[in-house]
């Protein structure tokens, strides 16, 4: 069974982004970029399934600019066998990414597609569910445990109020939540090996997909700032302030 | 055209998030024909239908009954909405685990974009939504004929739950998917207010040190304030608190009247989930902890001393 893992190159989670003064977007020139943390979890899960003998091949896919190759190399250093870059300078929105992934799913016929539940830049939380819809596959979003037996996946997912377990027939789409696993670090020998693994580059046109954006960003602005509060010396003062000043208790 | 709201419920009661979405829908309908409909897909969910029909601002409630909707499976729910979506200009879901699960699936089937976590309606096609953990606010315009939105409940007041008199229509159910089966769930029984609807939240971090300590220290405080309980990701990952208590960019987004952060450092991802709270209190031993930069009232203290003291002072 093949597994496809889409990985996105995003601003590193430690970076606090700044809004450009002309409100055209956030300034991401010269900031540290990394693999979306949820996608590291997705790759790790695929690698574990391969180590258990459930999966035979792991294909990492990224859609975006040339530099996404770095992200794909990282995925291969963690354990993906090969990679595909769908190269485009367009503002790729979730529907477009899902269509590109659908084309690759048609071509590669994976048994499982594991995505991150959300990318931490746009926080859309859409791509996996959209891919499942386009490919007409079962979906399990926000997975915290995955078990594969007899062509089916038993997946526990995080829902409001607790956990639920679904049984889906493969092929299926799964999106990884934070507690699915703890991704390993790529070791130096594996980083070196990853440089030699195959990385194919295709264009959206090759896949016959129209990636034009459906959403226009009119402006990006700063959120309202919270004015700094005060420090209180002790619990008694805190209680008095909450009662008399803030009037919330 | 009309705005359609997809109700969130557990077949027994209507979840309060639905009320916030109805408010967003009512605001949107000022730019359309002024009507808001609510779609309820469930199994033996008549009590939910009754509740929805009473919400101020709702013109019609559409009810679909079937076992295939008992657990809100995305495949079945999206397929059902698809049968009527063409009659609407907007389809709105709450930005909850179930809304986020279904809305993109519906949008892709309609070949339209989905707009996540809307916090403000500017016009019928233009919306505000936070990006980068709330560190920037994007105003986006949709060029699609049908707008599929998830609505961040903290961005909108709740519609009034009573006073309405909607008509109720029942429609036929689509067949359920054979490829997805519900196996079971572990939903914690909890008498506390829902995290995303609570007026007061007390939230604990890694500093609590263990599940026993977390409960021993935080529960009395929550009891005193009739508060919901939250946690940082570090506390959840370590098993001190259940997963659905996680507040933050990748957990729940909350905006109570009062948020008390106990032993939480204030990482960007945590702040993203609570910085719109009206009043924030932080209790932390480290005077330089970033949580103090958003706190209205900061107390530098050992939580194991300060919290019990606070409980007895309340
Ligand atoms: C200047 C600019 C402005 C933009 N404005 C907007 C906007 O206003 N609204 C908007 O919705 N989008 C906007 N985008 C598009 C945005 O960059 C994302 O590509 C797109 O929204 C995907 O959303 P997400 O990453 O949050 O998806 P999610 O659905 O959160 O991603 C989930 C998962 O899908 C997979 N995935 C997502 N994208 C890729 C990818 N490119 N390659 C491989 N796997 C992927 C990953 O596994 C990821 O974990 C803008 C882009 C630019 C450059
Ligand atoms: C992709 C991604 C998504 C994430 N999503 C979220 C999210 O949704 N929500 C979230 O919360 N985090 C999230 N995080 C994690 C986040 O970056 C932080 O690691 C986390 O919030 C830290 O939790 P904490 O404040 O409890 O722990 P710490 O940062 O370890 O802070 C503990 C604090 O307790 C204080 N302390 C210690 N002992 C005492 C004492 N006796 N009395 C008083 N104070 C004491 C310390 O001074 C310290 O400030 C995410 C991270 C990533 C990478």
């Amino acid at each position: 069974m093949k597994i496809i893992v889409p990985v996105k190159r995003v601003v590193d989670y430690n970076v606090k982004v700044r809004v450009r003064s002309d409100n055209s977007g956030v300034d991401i020139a010269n900031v540290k970029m990394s693999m979306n943390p949820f996608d590291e979890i997705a790759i790790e899960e695929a690698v574990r399934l391969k180590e258990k003998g459930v999966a035979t091949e792991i294909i990492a896919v990224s859609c975006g600019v040339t530099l996404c190759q770095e992200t794909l190399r990282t995925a291969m250093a963690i354990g993906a066998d090969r990679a595909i870059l769908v190269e485009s300078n367009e503002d790729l929105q979730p529907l477009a990414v899902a269509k590109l992934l659908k084309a690759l799913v048609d071509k590669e016929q994976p048994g499982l597609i594991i995505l991150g539940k959300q990318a931490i830049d746009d926080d859309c939380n859409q791509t996996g569910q959209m891919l499942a819809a386009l490919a007409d596959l079962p979906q399990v979003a926000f997975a915290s445990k995955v078990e594969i037996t007899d062509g089916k996946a038993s997946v526990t997912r995080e829902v409001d109020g607790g956990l639920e377990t679904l049984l889906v027939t493969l092929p299926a789409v799964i999106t990884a939540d934070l507690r699915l696993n703890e991704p390993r670090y790529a070791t130096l020998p594996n980083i070196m090996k990853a440089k030699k693994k195959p990385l194919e580059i295709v264009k959206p046109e090759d896949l016959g997909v129209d990636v034009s954006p459906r959403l226009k960003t009119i402006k990006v602005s700063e959120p309202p700032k919270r004015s700094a509060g005060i420090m209180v010396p002790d619990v008694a003062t805190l209680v008095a302030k909450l009662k008399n000043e803030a009037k919330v208790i | 055209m009309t705005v359609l709201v997809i109700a969130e419920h557990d077949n027994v009661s209507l979840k309060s998030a639905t009320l916030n979405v109805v408010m967003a829908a009512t605001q949107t309908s000022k730019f359309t024909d002024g009507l808001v409909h609510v779609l309820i897909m469930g199994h033996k969910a008549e009590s939910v239908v009754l509740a929805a029909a009473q919400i101020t601002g709702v013109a019609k409630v559409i009810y679909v009954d079937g076992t295939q909707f008992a657990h809100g499976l995305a495949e079945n729910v999206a397929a059902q909405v698809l049968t009527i979506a063409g009659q609407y200009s907007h389809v709105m879901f709450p930005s909850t685990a179930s809304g986020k699960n279904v809305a993109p699936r519906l949008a892709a089937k309609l070949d339209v974009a989905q707009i996540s976590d809307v916090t403000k309606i500017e016009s019928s096609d233009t919306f505000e939504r936070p990006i980068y953990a709330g560190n920037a606010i994007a105003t986006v315009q949709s060029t699609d004929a049908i707008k599929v939105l998830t609505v961040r409940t903290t961005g909108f007041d709740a519609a009034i739950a009573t006073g309405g008199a909607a008509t109720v229509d029942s429609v036929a159910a689509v067949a359920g998917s054979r490829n997805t089966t519900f196996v079971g769930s572990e939903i914690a029984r909890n008498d506390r207010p829902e995290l995303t609807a609570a007026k007061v939240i007390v939230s604990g971090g890694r500093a609590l040190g263990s599940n026993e300590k977390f409960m021993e220290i935080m529960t009395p405080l929550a009891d005193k304030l009739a508060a919901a309980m939250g946690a940082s990701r570090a506390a959840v990952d370590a098993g001190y608190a259940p997963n659905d208590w996680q507040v933050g960019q990748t957990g729940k987004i909350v905006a109570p009247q009062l948020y008390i952060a106990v032993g939480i450092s204030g990482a960007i991802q945590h702040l993203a989930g609570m910085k719109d709270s009206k009043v924030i209190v932080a209790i932390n031993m480290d005077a330089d902890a970033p949580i103090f930069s958003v706190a209205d009232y900061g107390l530098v203290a050992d939580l194991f001393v300060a919290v019990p003291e606070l409980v007895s002072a309340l």
Side-chain angles (χ1 to χ4, degrees):
Chain A
M1 176 177 85
K2 285 190 205 173
I3 302 181
I4 288 188
V5 182
V7 293
K8 189 180 183 192
R9 180 173 179 266
V10 299
V11 171
D12 187 84
Y13 78 94
N14 278 313
V15 174
K16 184 157 192 264
V17 296
R18 272 178 215 292
V19 172
R20 286 199 212 108
S21 52
D22 65 358
N23 285 355
S24 63
V26 298
D27 206 349
I28 57 169
N30 304 319
V31 305
K32 183 173 180 226
M33 304 294 284
S34 301
M35 186 190 299
N36 180 37
F38 288 96
D39 302 352
E40 288 180 8
I41 298 173
I43 287 277
E44 174 68 34
E45 195 64 19
V47 174
R48 289 186 189 185
L49 288 171
K50 191 176 166 196
E51 286 167 350
K52 281 190 209 149
V54 175
T56 49
E57 187 184 30
I58 302 166
I59 310 161
V61 178
S62 196
C63 310
V65 296
T66 314
L67 279 168
C68 295
Q69 291 191 34
E70 286 174 9
T71 317
L72 290 169
R73 293 286 170 206
T74 309
M76 290 191 283
I78 301 173
D81 298 292
R82 63 186 168 97
I84 303 172
L85 170 63
V86 185
E87 195 173 346
S88 168
N89 292 325
E90 184 63 83
D91 154 20
L92 294 176
Q93 296 178 351
L95 184 60
V97 174
K99 286 180 180 176
L100 295 171
L101 296 174
K102 154 79 164 63
L104 292 174
V105 166
D106 288 346
K107 191 165 152 227
E108 300 282 353
Q109 298 287 319
L112 204 57
I113 307 101
I114 312 180
L115 301 88
K117 87 161 172 178
Q118 89 194 54
I120 57 162
D121 47 1
D122 301 286
D123 287 335
C124 281
N125 200 323
Q126 301 176 1
T127 310
Q129 297 89 313
M130 286 186 155
L131 170 63
L134 297 176
D136 228 342
L137 294 178
Q139 73 184 49
V140 193
F142 327 140
S144 62
K145 191 171 166 207
V146 175
E147 270 165 25
I148 311 278
T149 31
D150 304 333
K152 287 187 189 248
S154 165
V155 187
T156 303
R157 54 189 297 263
E158 299 198 356
V159 296
D160 292 332
L163 299 170
E164 76 177 24
T165 304
L166 302 182
L167 189 65
V168 292
T169 40
L170 302 183
V173 175
I174 292 175
T175 78
D177 214 321
L178 288 170
R179 282 164 280 274
L180 182 56
N181 60 50
E182 237 179 90
R184 70 194 67 187
Y185 289 102
T187 60
L188 194 58
N190 285 342
I191 293 172
M192 301 312 288
K193 260 194 253 163
K195 292 193 172 145
K196 300 206 188 72
K197 291 184 180 175
L199 192 162
E200 180 191 351
I201 298 178
V202 298
K203 302 269 182 205
E205 306 84 83
D206 305 335
L207 300 172
V209 175
D210 173 8
V211 292
S212 16
R214 302 295 187 82
L215 293 180
K216 209 162 73 192
T217 302
I218 311 233
K219 66 167 197 245
V220 173
S221 45
E222 292 267 1
K225 282 250 174 323
R226 271 195 96 88
S227 44
I230 57 161
M231 302 302 280
V232 292
D234 50 37
V235 167
T237 318
L238 176 62
V239 173
K241 292 274 184 199
L242 289 176
K243 279 199 173 126
N244 308 325
E245 197 174 86
K247 300 192 168 60
V248 285
I249 57 170
Chain B
M1 284 213 277
T2 302
V3 182
L4 182 66
V5 171
I6 311 302
E8 175 133 342
H9 63 87
D10 57 6
N11 295 309
V12 179
S13 56
L14 188 71
K15 292 282 151 89
S16 66
T18 310
L19 298 174
N20 306 84
V21 185
V22 168
M23 180 59 82
T26 306
Q27 292 178 10
T28 309
S29 71
K30 302 212 164 73
F31 304 101
T32 62
D33 66 2
L35 295 178
V36 175
H37 292 177
V38 174
L39 173 61
I40 295 166
M41 292 160 280
H43 184 47
K44 298 193 175 140
E46 285 75 15
S47 53
V48 179
V49 176
L50 282 179
Q54 287 168 23
I55 304 172
T56 295
V58 176
K60 181 158 99 179
V61 174
I62 304 161
Y63 178 43
V64 192
D65 178 66
T67 50
Q68 64 272 47
F69 301 119
H71 304 291
L73 294 179
E75 291 80 351
N76 303 348
V77 171
Q80 183 70 44
V81 184
L82 201 58
T83 63
I84 59 167
Q87 302 161 30
Y88 294 91
S89 55
H90 299 75
V91 182
M92 297 190 173
F93 294 79
S95 206
T96 52
S98 58
K100 290 193 259 193
N101 190 20
V102 178
R105 189 166 178 112
L106 172 70
K109 292 270 188 204
L110 291 167
D111 193 25
V112 302
Q114 189 243 296
I115 306 156
S116 296
D117 271 328
V118 169
T119 47
K120 193 170 165 202
I121 313 286
E122 297 239 313
S123 74
S124 74
D125 64 0
T126 306
F127 312 95
E128 271 189 20
R129 59 175 302 259
I131 53 175
Y132 289 93
N135 286 306
I137 310 289
T139 306
V140 296
Q141 186 175 31
S142 161
T143 55
D144 290 315
I146 304 177
K147 280 93 181 153
V148 177
L149 275 59
T150 60
V151 172
R152 187 174 280 195
T153 51
T154 54
F156 299 88
D157 291 336
I160 300 164
T162 54
T167 57
V168 177
D169 263 10
S170 283
V171 300
V174 296
S177 158
R178 268 176 281 119
N179 289 328
T180 306
T181 334
F182 176 83
V183 179
S185 63
E186 295 164 41
I187 303 294
R189 290 217 50 84
N190 189 339
D191 298 331
R192 298 188 186 282
E194 264 178 74
L195 202 47
T196 50
K199 290 209 160 40
V200 181
I201 295 175
V202 299
S203 203
R206 195 199 312 264
L208 270 307
S210 69
N211 174 257
E212 295 70 36
K213 280 285 167 199
F214 193 106
M215 299 308 158
E216 179 190 322
I217 297 284
M218 300 301 288
T219 311
L221 184 59
D223 287 345
K224 268 275 161 87
L225 294 165
M229 291 173 81
S232 72
R233 174 186 169 189
V236 173
D237 282 1
Y240 306 166
N243 63 274
D244 66 310
W245 289 15
Q246 180 179 318
V247 170
Q249 179 186 15
T250 56
K252 293 216 164 63
I253 310 289
V254 301
Q257 295 290 308
L258 174 61
Y259 186 93
I260 305 185
V262 176
I264 291 178
S265 60
I268 323 177
Q269 293 86 7
H270 189 79
L271 300 185
M274 44 66 78
K275 71 181 162 50
D276 293 328
S277 305
K278 184 159 171 276
V279 174
I280 297 174
V281 170
I283 301 176
N284 195 305
M285 224 155 54
D286 173 7
D288 294 325
I291 189 78
F292 288 125
S293 70
V294 300
D296 298 278
Y297 302 108
L299 177 63
V300 178
D302 179 355
L303 72 92
F304 295 103
V305 178
V307 175
E309 214 182 303
L310 180 57
V311 171
S312 45
L314 285 168

